[in-house]
Amino acid sequence: MHVFAADLADQAGPDTLIAAIAAAALPVDILVNNAGFGARGDFAELDSALQLGMIDLNCRALVALTHAVLPQMIARGSGGILNLASVASFQPGPWMAVYYASKAFVLSFSEALHEEVKGKGVRVAALCPGPTRTEFADVAGLGDTALFERLASDPAAVVRDGLAALAANRAVKVSGALNFAMAEGIRFTPRSIARRIAGSLQKARG
């Protein structure tokens, strides 16, 4: 087994990783873009570098890695790309404004790419989990709240949903019945109300 380490938050990180894979002459059959982090708080008060770094990791690195491996997948007529979006993708999120926006980007980008390559033998899917019991929650300041404990999913179940969606070439998969109901409900909710609901949830987590 080969393991290559790279800091994807660094703008040179994706190129470093792809170069190491190429030097080992390894094809990329499946790319899982799972790297990302969130931060909760007032946008004006959160550190600017932190939030720009969030965009770099959640969006820029994902696009860079996808662009690096997609041409070879198209040339082979096979391959899969699974991008980690979120139920946060479906509405604005006051007090996690940049994180929600970054995941909306991932969802939109993934759906567009799915349509572009679906006739070329390459599968692209966006996985949209809700709160999940991983270290992400601790970094984002969510892990020690009662709300998180009630709603959080098991990571193994989320992984299974993502891999099944990629195998079936589903453009979007919302993991978990409650998360699916919430994501569907947002479609019929005025955006002014949706953003207030999301904001109240973030405040409750405090």
Side-chain angles (χ1 to χ4, degrees):
M1 182 176 70
H2 295 78
V3 177
F4 305 102
D7 181 3
L8 297 180
D10 187 308
Q11 291 198 2
D15 288 341
T16 299
L17 178 58
I18 293 298
I21 294 170
L26 295 172
V28 177
D29 297 316
I30 295 177
L31 170 65
V32 179
N33 278 311
N34 183 49
F37 72 93
R40 184 169 60 83
D42 291 75
F43 171 78
E45 296 177 5
L46 286 172
D47 180 67
S48 175
L50 174 74
Q51 297 186 86
L52 291 172
M54 194 188 313
I55 295 170
D56 280 342
L57 182 58
N58 294 7
C59 302
R60 187 181 187 281
L62 179 146
V63 171
L65 290 173
T66 298
H67 192 268
V69 304
L70 187 58
Q72 59 185 273
M73 290 182 177
I74 292 173
R76 293 197 312 265
S78 67
I81 298 172
L82 180 64
N83 292 328
L84 265 291
S86 169
V87 291
S89 307
F90 297 96
Q91 72 266 314
W95 292 280
M96 285 191 78
V98 172
Y99 174 74
Y100 274 60
S102 74
K103 290 304 179 179
F105 172 88
V106 172
L107 178 60
S108 179
F109 172 72
S110 301
E111 287 192 88
L113 200 58
H114 171 92
E115 198 66 24
E116 286 187 22
V117 303
K118 67 181 183 181
K120 301 177 181 179
V122 181
R123 293 159 286 128
V124 177
L127 175 62
C128 300
T132 306
R133 294 186 182 90
T134 68
E135 65 274 14
F136 170 90
D138 296 325
V139 173
L142 307 175
D144 58 352
T145 66
L147 186 64
F148 176 84
E149 285 303 317
R150 288 198 303 271
L151 298 179
S153 299
D154 175 62
V158 175
V159 170
R160 286 194 298 270
D161 282 347
L163 294 179
L166 188 61
N169 200 21
R170 293 185 59 176
V172 180
K173 171 61 179 177
V174 178
S175 180
L178 178 59
N179 294 323
F180 178 78
M182 292 171 61
E184 285 294 295
I186 289 296
R187 296 172 51 203
F188 306 102
T189 304
R191 290 185 69 82
S192 61
I193 296 176
R195 64 177 175 259
R196 287 200 295 271
I197 292 172
S200 67
L201 285 173
Q202 296 311 325
K203 285 186 175 181
R205 287 181 175 131

